[in-house]
Amino acid sequence: MKGMIFTEFLSMVETRFGLDVVDRMIEDSRVPRAGAYASTGTYPHEELVAMVGALSRIVGVPVPDLLHAYGRHLFDKLASTFPQYLSHASSAFEFLASVDGYIHVEVRKIYPDAELPRFARHVSDDGRTMTLEYRSPRRFDALAHGLLEGALAHFGEPTTVSRQELPGGDGSLFVIRKTAR
Ligand code: HEM
């Protein structure tokens, strides 16, 4: 997983919980290199999983809630780092529809070793409901949930999002509904 995903996580933990918690989390999770990550480097995603698990034990917040909050935070960071990936879209649905076939494709051109999830999408005939099937062997479902809510907030469209496990156990189905204005 790209170093930027780690450095942003550490920055969110520091802002929300303070440097002492960052230090304890790094110590308890026994990640190598004392938790030093270069944003351009690549590291095993298991190190992020270990840190989130340790943080959950320290602050008493469930892992999925922490990953969800991190997704919201990360979206804002990605949007400010890569504004060119947002300018093509004029609505949240248009943007979300482009994550799999455009944004993550471009990400792979910059970082050939990126580990990216797959999203299959469907939009209802009336254009008010979108389903996104998230699949990844890394199972960052809650992170995906936070990222997509970050995108919806960015475009400022009133929507509701629900999530359920996919039957095969390899991801989640997100249902995004536009709510009446
Ligand atoms: C500006 C928009 C976006 C950019 C530039 C972007 C870029 C990236 C990058 C660089 C990674 C890390 C890959 C790695 O570490 O190897 C990543 C992972 C990921 N992205 Fe995106 N992304 C964007 C939007 C989104 C959105 C809106 C979603 C959700 C709908 C999403 C879902 C994910 C997930 C869940 C991962 C973690 C890897 C996994 O689940 O296997 N991304 N993305």
Side-chain angles (χ1 to χ4, degrees), residues 84-135:
Q84 66 273 30
Y85 296 152
L86 284 129
S87 50
H88 66 283
S90 57
S91 71
F93 276 18
E94 200 184 326
F95 173 76
L96 289 173
S98 72
V99 171
D100 193 70
Y102 169 58
I103 296 172
H104 281 172
V105 173
E106 294 299 311
V107 167
R108 187 175 299 291
K109 287 184 195 163
I110 311 172
Y111 307 119
D113 57 352
E115 297 179 316
L116 295 159
R118 294 311 310 262
F119 286 98
R121 67 170 195 281
H122 179 262
V123 178
S124 65
D125 289 344
D126 66 3
R128 300 195 63 80
T129 305
M130 174 183 251
T131 56
L132 272 182
E133 277 180 19
Y134 161 86
R135 284 195 168 80

CSV table of all heavy atoms in Angstrom, one decimal, residues 84-135:
chain,number,residue,atom,x,y,z
A,84,GLN,N,-7.0,17.2,-10.3
A,84,GLN,CA,-7.3,16.9,-11.7
A,84,GLN,C,-8.2,15.7,-11.9
A,84,GLN,O,-8.9,15.5,-12.9
A,84,GLN,CB,-6.0,16.6,-12.5
A,84,GLN,CG,-5.2,15.4,-12.1
A,84,GLN,CD,-4.2,15.6,-11.0
A,84,GLN,OE1,-4.4,16.4,-10.1
A,84,GLN,NE2,-3.1,14.8,-10.9
A,85,TYR,N,-8.3,14.9,-10.8
A,85,TYR,CA,-9.2,13.7,-10.9
A,85,TYR,C,-10.6,14.1,-10.5
A,85,TYR,O,-11.5,13.2,-10.4
A,85,TYR,CB,-8.7,12.6,-10.0
A,85,TYR,CG,-7.4,12.0,-10.5
A,85,TYR,CD1,-6.5,11.4,-9.6
A,85,TYR,CD2,-7.0,12.1,-11.8
A,85,TYR,CE1,-5.3,11.0,-10.0
A,85,TYR,CE2,-5.8,11.6,-12.3
A,85,TYR,CZ,-4.9,11.1,-11.4
A,85,TYR,OH,-3.7,10.6,-11.8
A,86,LEU,N,-10.9,15.3,-10.1
A,86,LEU,CA,-12.2,15.7,-9.7
A,86,LEU,C,-12.9,16.6,-10.8
A,86,LEU,O,-14.1,16.7,-10.9
A,86,LEU,CB,-12.2,16.4,-8.4
A,86,LEU,CG,-12.1,15.5,-7.2
A,86,LEU,CD1,-10.9,15.9,-6.3
A,86,LEU,CD2,-13.4,15.4,-6.4
A,87,SER,N,-12.0,17.3,-11.5
A,87,SER,CA,-12.5,18.4,-12.4
A,87,SER,C,-13.4,17.8,-13.5
A,87,SER,O,-14.2,18.6,-14.1
A,87,SER,CB,-11.3,19.2,-13.0
A,87,SER,OG,-10.4,18.3,-13.5
A,88,HIS,N,-13.3,16.5,-13.9
A,88,HIS,CA,-14.1,16.0,-15.0
A,88,HIS,C,-15.5,15.8,-14.6
A,88,HIS,O,-16.4,15.6,-15.4
A,88,HIS,CB,-13.5,14.7,-15.5
A,88,HIS,CG,-13.6,13.6,-14.5
A,88,HIS,ND1,-12.7,13.5,-13.4
A,88,HIS,CD2,-14.5,12.6,-14.3
A,88,HIS,CE1,-13.1,12.5,-12.6
A,88,HIS,NE2,-14.1,11.9,-13.2
A,89,ALA,N,-15.8,15.7,-13.3
A,89,ALA,CA,-17.1,15.3,-12.8
A,89,ALA,C,-17.9,16.5,-12.4
A,89,ALA,O,-17.4,17.3,-11.6
A,89,ALA,CB,-17.0,14.3,-11.7
A,90,SER,N,-19.2,16.5,-12.8
A,90,SER,CA,-20.1,17.6,-12.3
A,90,SER,C,-21.0,17.2,-11.3
A,90,SER,O,-21.8,18.0,-10.8
A,90,SER,CB,-20.8,18.3,-13.5
A,90,SER,OG,-21.5,17.3,-14.2
A,91,SER,N,-21.0,15.9,-10.9
A,91,SER,CA,-21.9,15.4,-9.9
A,91,SER,C,-21.3,14.3,-9.2
A,91,SER,O,-20.3,13.7,-9.7
A,91,SER,CB,-23.3,14.9,-10.5
A,91,SER,OG,-23.0,13.7,-11.2
A,92,ALA,N,-21.8,14.0,-8.0
A,92,ALA,CA,-21.2,12.9,-7.2
A,92,ALA,C,-21.3,11.5,-7.9
A,92,ALA,O,-20.4,10.7,-7.9
A,92,ALA,CB,-21.9,12.8,-5.8
A,93,PHE,N,-22.5,11.3,-8.5
A,93,PHE,CA,-22.7,10.0,-9.2
A,93,PHE,C,-21.7,9.9,-10.4
A,93,PHE,O,-21.1,8.8,-10.6
A,93,PHE,CB,-24.1,9.9,-9.7
A,93,PHE,CG,-25.1,9.3,-8.7
A,93,PHE,CD1,-24.8,9.4,-7.3
A,93,PHE,CD2,-26.3,8.8,-9.1
A,93,PHE,CE1,-25.7,8.9,-6.4
A,93,PHE,CE2,-27.2,8.3,-8.1
A,93,PHE,CZ,-26.9,8.4,-6.8
A,94,GLU,N,-21.5,11.0,-11.1
A,94,GLU,CA,-20.6,11.0,-12.2
A,94,GLU,C,-19.1,10.7,-11.7
A,94,GLU,O,-18.4,9.9,-12.3
A,94,GLU,CB,-20.6,12.3,-12.9
A,94,GLU,CG,-20.1,12.3,-14.3
A,94,GLU,CD,-20.0,13.7,-15.0
A,94,GLU,OE1,-20.9,14.5,-14.6
A,94,GLU,OE2,-19.1,14.0,-15.7
A,95,PHE,N,-18.8,11.3,-10.6
A,95,PHE,CA,-17.5,11.1,-10.0
A,95,PHE,C,-17.3,9.7,-9.5
A,95,PHE,O,-16.3,9.0,-9.9
A,95,PHE,CB,-17.3,12.1,-8.8
A,95,PHE,CG,-16.0,11.8,-8.1
A,95,PHE,CD1,-14.8,12.1,-8.6
A,95,PHE,CD2,-16.0,11.1,-6.9
A,95,PHE,CE1,-13.6,11.8,-8.0
A,95,PHE,CE2,-14.9,10.8,-6.2
A,95,PHE,CZ,-13.6,11.1,-6.7
A,96,LEU,N,-18.3,9.2,-8.8
A,96,LEU,CA,-18.2,7.8,-8.2
A,96,LEU,C,-18.1,6.8,-9.3
A,96,LEU,O,-17.4,5.8,-9.2
A,96,LEU,CB,-19.3,7.5,-7.2
A,96,LEU,CG,-19.3,8.2,-5.9
A,96,LEU,CD1,-20.5,8.0,-5.1
A,96,LEU,CD2,-18.0,7.8,-5.1
A,97,ALA,N,-18.9,7.1,-10.4
A,97,ALA,CA,-18.9,6.1,-11.5
A,97,ALA,C,-17.5,6.0,-12.2
A,97,ALA,O,-17.2,5.1,-12.9
A,97,ALA,CB,-19.9,6.5,-12.6
A,98,SER,N,-16.7,7.1,-12.0
A,98,SER,CA,-15.4,7.1,-12.7
A,98,SER,C,-14.2,6.6,-11.8
A,98,SER,O,-13.1,6.5,-12.3
A,98,SER,CB,-15.1,8.6,-13.1
A,98,SER,OG,-14.7,9.3,-11.9
A,99,VAL,N,-14.5,6.2,-10.6
A,99,VAL,CA,-13.4,5.8,-9.7
A,99,VAL,C,-12.7,4.5,-10.3
A,99,VAL,O,-11.5,4.4,-10.4
A,99,VAL,CB,-13.9,5.5,-8.2
A,99,VAL,CG1,-12.8,4.8,-7.4
A,99,VAL,CG2,-14.3,6.8,-7.6
A,100,ASP,N,-13.5,3.5,-10.7
A,100,ASP,CA,-12.9,2.3,-11.1
A,100,ASP,C,-12.2,2.4,-12.5
A,100,ASP,O,-11.1,1.9,-12.7
A,100,ASP,CB,-14.0,1.2,-11.1
A,100,ASP,CG,-13.4,-0.2,-11.3
A,100,ASP,OD1,-12.8,-0.7,-10.3
A,100,ASP,OD2,-13.5,-0.8,-12.4
A,101,GLY,N,-13.0,3.0,-13.4
A,101,GLY,CA,-12.5,2.9,-14.8
A,101,GLY,C,-11.6,4.1,-15.2
A,101,GLY,O,-11.0,4.1,-16.3
A,102,TYR,N,-11.5,5.1,-14.4
A,102,TYR,CA,-10.7,6.3,-14.7
A,102,TYR,C,-9.7,6.6,-13.6
A,102,TYR,O,-8.5,6.5,-13.8
A,102,TYR,CB,-11.5,7.5,-15.1
A,102,TYR,CG,-10.8,8.8,-15.2
A,102,TYR,CD1,-9.7,8.9,-16.1
A,102,TYR,CD2,-11.1,9.9,-14.4
A,102,TYR,CE1,-9.0,10.1,-16.2
A,102,TYR,CE2,-10.3,11.1,-14.5
A,102,TYR,CZ,-9.3,11.2,-15.4
A,102,TYR,OH,-8.6,12.3,-15.5
A,103,ILE,N,-10.2,7.0,-12.4
A,103,ILE,CA,-9.3,7.5,-11.4
A,103,ILE,C,-8.3,6.4,-10.9
A,103,ILE,O,-7.1,6.7,-11.0
A,103,ILE,CB,-10.1,8.0,-10.1
A,103,ILE,CG1,-11.0,9.2,-10.6
A,103,ILE,CG2,-9.2,8.3,-9.0
A,103,ILE,CD1,-11.9,9.6,-9.5
A,104,HIS,N,-8.7,5.3,-10.6
A,104,HIS,CA,-7.8,4.2,-10.1
A,104,HIS,C,-6.9,3.8,-11.3
A,104,HIS,O,-5.8,3.3,-11.1
A,104,HIS,CB,-8.5,3.1,-9.4
A,104,HIS,CG,-8.9,3.4,-8.0
A,104,HIS,ND1,-9.6,2.6,-7.2
A,104,HIS,CD2,-8.5,4.5,-7.2
A,104,HIS,CE1,-9.8,3.2,-6.0
A,104,HIS,NE2,-9.1,4.3,-6.0
A,105,VAL,N,-7.4,3.9,-12.5
A,105,VAL,CA,-6.6,3.5,-13.7
A,105,VAL,C,-5.4,4.5,-13.8
A,105,VAL,O,-4.2,4.2,-14.0
A,105,VAL,CB,-7.4,3.5,-15.0
A,105,VAL,CG1,-6.5,3.4,-16.2
A,105,VAL,CG2,-8.5,2.5,-14.9
A,106,GLU,N,-5.7,5.8,-13.6
A,106,GLU,CA,-4.7,6.8,-13.6
A,106,GLU,C,-3.7,6.7,-12.5
A,106,GLU,O,-2.5,6.9,-12.6
A,106,GLU,CB,-5.3,8.3,-13.6
A,106,GLU,CG,-6.1,8.6,-14.8
A,106,GLU,CD,-5.3,8.6,-16.1
A,106,GLU,OE1,-4.2,9.2,-16.1
A,106,GLU,OE2,-5.7,8.0,-17.1
A,107,VAL,N,-4.3,6.3,-11.3
A,107,VAL,CA,-3.4,6.1,-10.1
A,107,VAL,C,-2.4,5.0,-10.4
A,107,VAL,O,-1.2,5.1,-10.1
A,107,VAL,CB,-4.3,5.7,-8.9
A,107,VAL,CG1,-3.4,5.2,-7.8
A,107,VAL,CG2,-5.1,6.9,-8.4
A,108,ARG,N,-2.8,3.9,-11.1
A,108,ARG,CA,-1.9,2.8,-11.4
A,108,ARG,C,-0.8,3.3,-12.4
A,108,ARG,O,0.3,2.7,-12.4
A,108,ARG,CB,-2.7,1.6,-11.9
A,108,ARG,CG,-1.8,0.4,-12.1
A,108,ARG,CD,-2.4,-0.8,-12.5
A,108,ARG,NE,-3.4,-1.3,-11.6
A,108,ARG,CZ,-3.2,-1.8,-10.4
A,108,ARG,NH1,-1.9,-1.8,-9.9
A,108,ARG,NH2,-4.1,-2.2,-9.6
A,109,LYS,N,-1.1,4.3,-13.2
A,109,LYS,CA,-0.1,4.7,-14.2
A,109,LYS,C,1.0,5.4,-13.4
A,109,LYS,O,2.2,5.3,-13.7
A,109,LYS,CB,-0.7,5.7,-15.2
A,109,LYS,CG,-1.6,5.0,-16.2
A,109,LYS,CD,-2.1,6.1,-17.2
A,109,LYS,CE,-3.2,5.5,-18.1
A,109,LYS,NZ,-3.9,6.5,-18.8
A,110,ILE,N,0.6,6.2,-12.3
A,110,ILE,CA,1.6,6.9,-11.5
A,110,ILE,C,2.3,5.9,-10.6
A,110,ILE,O,3.5,6.0,-10.4
A,110,ILE,CB,1.0,8.0,-10.6
A,110,ILE,CG1,0.0,8.9,-11.4
A,110,ILE,CG2,2.0,8.8,-9.9
A,110,ILE,CD1,-0.8,9.8,-10.6
A,111,TYR,N,1.5,5.0,-10.0
A,111,TYR,CA,2.1,4.0,-9.0
A,111,TYR,C,1.8,2.6,-9.6
A,111,TYR,O,0.8,2.0,-9.2
A,111,TYR,CB,1.5,4.1,-7.7
A,111,TYR,CG,1.5,5.5,-7.0
A,111,TYR,CD1,0.3,6.2,-6.7
A,111,TYR,CD2,2.7,6.1,-6.7
A,111,TYR,CE1,0.3,7.4,-6.1
A,111,TYR,CE2,2.7,7.4,-6.1
A,111,TYR,CZ,1.5,8.0,-5.8
A,111,TYR,OH,1.5,9.2,-5.2
A,112,PRO,N,2.7,2.0,-10.4
A,112,PRO,CA,2.3,0.7,-11.0
A,112,PRO,C,2.2,-0.4,-9.9
A,112,PRO,O,1.5,-1.4,-10.2
A,112,PRO,CB,3.6,0.4,-11.8
A,112,PRO,CG,4.2,1.7,-12.1
A,112,PRO,CD,3.9,2.6,-10.9
A,113,ASP,N,2.7,-0.2,-8.7
A,113,ASP,CA,2.6,-1.2,-7.7
A,113,ASP,C,1.4,-0.9,-6.7
A,113,ASP,O,1.2,-1.6,-5.7
A,113,ASP,CB,3.9,-1.3,-6.8
A,113,ASP,CG,4.3,0.0,-6.2
A,113,ASP,OD1,3.6,1.0,-6.5
A,113,ASP,OD2,5.2,0.0,-5.4
A,114,ALA,N,0.5,0.0,-7.1
A,114,ALA,CA,-0.7,0.3,-6.2
A,114,ALA,C,-1.6,-0.9,-6.1
A,114,ALA,O,-1.7,-1.7,-7.1
A,114,ALA,CB,-1.4,1.5,-6.8
A,115,GLU,N,-2.1,-1.1,-4.9
A,115,GLU,CA,-3.1,-2.2,-4.7
A,115,GLU,C,-4.5,-1.6,-4.6
A,115,GLU,O,-4.8,-1.0,-3.6
A,115,GLU,CB,-2.8,-2.9,-3.4
A,115,GLU,CG,-1.4,-3.6,-3.3
A,115,GLU,CD,-1.1,-4.2,-2.0
A,115,GLU,OE1,-1.4,-3.6,-1.0
A,115,GLU,OE2,-0.6,-5.3,-2.0
A,116,LEU,N,-5.2,-1.8,-5.7
A,116,LEU,CA,-6.5,-1.0,-5.8
A,116,LEU,C,-7.7,-2.0,-5.8
A,116,LEU,O,-7.6,-3.1,-6.2
A,116,LEU,CB,-6.5,-0.2,-7.1
A,116,LEU,CG,-5.4,0.9,-7.0
A,116,LEU,CD1,-5.1,1.4,-8.4
A,116,LEU,CD2,-5.9,2.1,-6.2
A,117,PRO,N,-8.8,-1.5,-5.2
A,117,PRO,CA,-10.0,-2.4,-5.2
A,117,PRO,C,-10.7,-2.3,-6.5
A,117,PRO,O,-10.3,-1.5,-7.4
A,117,PRO,CB,-10.8,-1.7,-4.1
A,117,PRO,CG,-10.5,-0.2,-4.2
A,117,PRO,CD,-9.0,-0.2,-4.6
A,118,ARG,N,-11.7,-3.1,-6.7
A,118,ARG,CA,-12.6,-3.0,-7.9
A,118,ARG,C,-14.0,-2.6,-7.5
A,118,ARG,O,-14.5,-3.0,-6.4
A,118,ARG,CB,-12.7,-4.4,-8.6
A,118,ARG,CG,-11.4,-5.0,-9.2
A,118,ARG,CD,-10.7,-4.0,-10.1
A,118,ARG,NE,-11.4,-3.3,-11.1
A,118,ARG,CZ,-11.5,-3.7,-12.4
A,118,ARG,NH1,-10.8,-4.7,-12.8
A,118,ARG,NH2,-12.2,-3.0,-13.3
A,119,PHE,N,-14.6,-1.8,-8.3
A,119,PHE,CA,-16.0,-1.3,-8.1
A,119,PHE,C,-16.8,-1.6,-9.3
A,119,PHE,O,-16.4,-1.2,-10.4
A,119,PHE,CB,-16.0,0.2,-7.9
A,119,PHE,CG,-15.5,0.6,-6.5
A,119,PHE,CD1,-14.2,1.1,-6.4
A,119,PHE,CD2,-16.3,0.6,-5.4
A,119,PHE,CE1,-13.7,1.5,-5.1
A,119,PHE,CE2,-15.8,1.0,-4.2
A,119,PHE,CZ,-14.5,1.4,-4.0
A,120,ALA,N,-17.9,-2.3,-9.2
A,120,ALA,CA,-18.9,-2.5,-10.2
A,120,ALA,C,-20.0,-1.6,-9.9
A,120,ALA,O,-20.4,-1.5,-8.7
A,120,ALA,CB,-19.3,-3.9,-10.4
A,121,ARG,N,-20.6,-0.9,-10.9
A,121,ARG,CA,-21.6,0.1,-10.5
A,121,ARG,C,-22.9,-0.1,-11.4
A,121,ARG,O,-22.8,-0.7,-12.5
A,121,ARG,CB,-21.1,1.5,-10.7
A,121,ARG,CG,-20.9,1.8,-12.2
A,121,ARG,CD,-20.6,3.3,-12.4
A,121,ARG,NE,-20.7,3.6,-13.8
A,121,ARG,CZ,-19.8,3.3,-14.7
A,121,ARG,NH1,-18.7,2.7,-14.4
A,121,ARG,NH2,-20.0,3.6,-16.0
A,122,HIS,N,-24.0,0.4,-10.8
A,122,HIS,CA,-25.2,0.4,-11.6
A,122,HIS,C,-26.0,1.6,-11.1
A,122,HIS,O,-26.1,1.9,-9.9
A,122,HIS,CB,-26.0,-0.9,-11.3
A,122,HIS,CG,-27.3,-1.0,-12.1
A,122,HIS,ND1,-28.5,-0.7,-11.5
A,122,HIS,CD2,-27.6,-1.2,-13.4
A,122,HIS,CE1,-29.5,-0.7,-12.4
A,122,HIS,NE2,-28.9,-1.1,-13.5
A,123,VAL,N,-26.6,2.3,-12.1
A,123,VAL,CA,-27.5,3.4,-11.7
A,123,VAL,C,-28.9,3.1,-12.2
A,123,VAL,O,-29.1,2.5,-13.3
A,123,VAL,CB,-27.0,4.7,-12.4
A,123,VAL,CG1,-27.9,5.9,-12.1
A,123,VAL,CG2,-25.6,5.0,-12.0
A,124,SER,N,-29.9,3.4,-11.3
A,124,SER,CA,-31.3,3.1,-11.6
A,124,SER,C,-31.8,3.9,-12.8
A,124,SER,O,-31.2,5.0,-13.1
A,124,SER,CB,-32.2,3.3,-10.4
A,124,SER,OG,-32.1,4.7,-10.1
A,125,ASP,N,-32.9,3.5,-13.4
A,125,ASP,CA,-33.4,4.2,-14.6
A,125,ASP,C,-33.7,5.6,-14.3
A,125,ASP,O,-33.5,6.5,-15.2
A,125,ASP,CB,-34.6,3.4,-15.1
A,125,ASP,CG,-34.3,2.1,-15.8
A,125,ASP,OD1,-33.1,1.9,-16.1
A,125,ASP,OD2,-35.2,1.3,-15.9
A,126,ASP,N,-34.2,5.9,-13.1
A,126,ASP,CA,-34.6,7.3,-12.8
A,126,ASP,C,-33.4,8.1,-12.3
A,126,ASP,O,-33.5,9.3,-12.0
A,126,ASP,CB,-35.7,7.3,-11.8
A,126,ASP,CG,-35.3,6.8,-10.4
A,126,ASP,OD1,-34.1,6.5,-10.2
A,126,ASP,OD2,-36.2,6.7,-9.5
A,127,GLY,N,-32.2,7.5,-12.3
A,127,GLY,CA,-31.0,8.2,-12.0
A,127,GLY,C,-30.8,8.6,-10.5
A,127,GLY,O,-29.9,9.4,-10.1
A,128,ARG,N,-31.7,8.1,-9.6
A,128,ARG,CA,-31.7,8.5,-8.2
A,128,ARG,C,-30.9,7.6,-7.3
A,128,ARG,O,-30.7,7.9,-6.1
A,128,ARG,CB,-33.1,8.8,-7.7
A,128,ARG,CG,-33.8,9.8,-8.5
A,128,ARG,CD,-35.1,10.3,-7.8
A,128,ARG,NE,-34.8,11.0,-6.5
A,128,ARG,CZ,-34.3,12.2,-6.4
A,128,ARG,NH1,-34.2,13.0,-7.5
A,128,ARG,NH2,-34.1,12.7,-5.2
A,129,THR,N,-30.7,6.3,-7.8
A,129,THR,CA,-30.0,5.3,-6.9
A,129,THR,C,-28.8,4.8,-7.6
A,129,THR,O,-28.9,4.4,-8.8
A,129,THR,CB,-31.0,4.2,-6.6
A,129,THR,OG1,-32.2,4.8,-6.0
A,129,THR,CG2,-30.4,3.2,-5.6
A,130,MET,N,-27.7,4.7,-6.9
A,130,MET,CA,-26.5,4.0,-7.5
A,130,MET,C,-26.1,2.9,-6.6
A,130,MET,O,-26.1,3.1,-5.4
A,130,MET,CB,-25.4,5.1,-7.6
A,130,MET,CG,-24.1,4.4,-8.1
A,130,MET,SD,-22.7,5.6,-8.1
A,130,MET,CE,-22.5,5.8,-9.8
A,131,THR,N,-25.8,1.8,-7.2
A,131,THR,CA,-25.2,0.7,-6.4
A,131,THR,C,-23.7,0.5,-6.8
A,131,THR,O,-23.4,0.6,-8.0
A,131,THR,CB,-25.9,-0.7,-6.6
A,131,THR,OG1,-25.9,-1.0,-8.0
A,131,THR,CG2,-27.3,-0.6,-6.1
A,132,LEU,N,-22.9,0.4,-5.8
A,132,LEU,CA,-21.5,0.2,-6.0
A,132,LEU,C,-21.1,-1.1,-5.3
A,132,LEU,O,-21.3,-1.2,-4.1
A,132,LEU,CB,-20.7,1.3,-5.4
A,132,LEU,CG,-20.4,2.6,-6.2
A,132,LEU,CD1,-19.5,3.5,-5.3
A,132,LEU,CD2,-19.6,2.3,-7.5
A,133,GLU,N,-20.5,-2.1,-6.0
A,133,GLU,CA,-20.0,-3.3,-5.4
A,133,GLU,C,-18.5,-3.2,-5.2
A,133,GLU,O,-17.8,-3.1,-6.2
A,133,GLU,CB,-20.3,-4.5,-6.3
A,133,GLU,CG,-21.7,-5.0,-6.2
A,133,GLU,CD,-21.9,-6.2,-7.1
A,133,GLU,OE1,-20.9,-6.8,-7.6
A,133,GLU,OE2,-23.1,-6.5,-7.4
A,134,TYR,N,-18.1,-3.1,-4.0
A,134,TYR,CA,-16.7,-3.0,-3.7
A,134,TYR,C,-16.1,-4.4,-3.5
A,134,TYR,O,-16.7,-5.2,-2.7
A,134,TYR,CB,-16.5,-2.2,-2.4
A,134,TYR,CG,-15.2,-2.4,-1.7
A,134,TYR,CD1,-14.1,-1.6,-2.1
A,134,TYR,CD2,-15.0,-3.3,-0.7
A,134,TYR,CE1,-12.9,-1.8,-1.4
A,134,TYR,CE2,-13.8,-3.5,0.0
A,134,TYR,CZ,-12.7,-2.7,-0.4
A,134,TYR,OH,-11.5,-2.9,0.2
A,135,ARG,N,-15.0,-4.7,-4.2
A,135,ARG,CA,-14.4,-6.0,-3.9
A,135,ARG,C,-12.9,-5.7,-3.8
A,135,ARG,O,-12.3,-5.1,-4.6
A,135,ARG,CB,-14.6,-6.9,-5.1
A,135,ARG,CG,-15.9,-7.5,-5.2
A,135,ARG,CD,-16.0,-8.7,-6.2
A,135,ARG,NE,-17.2,-9.5,-5.9
A,135,ARG,CZ,-18.4,-9.1,-6.4
A,135,ARG,NH1,-18.5,-8.0,-7.2
A,135,ARG,NH2,-19.5,-9.8,-6.2
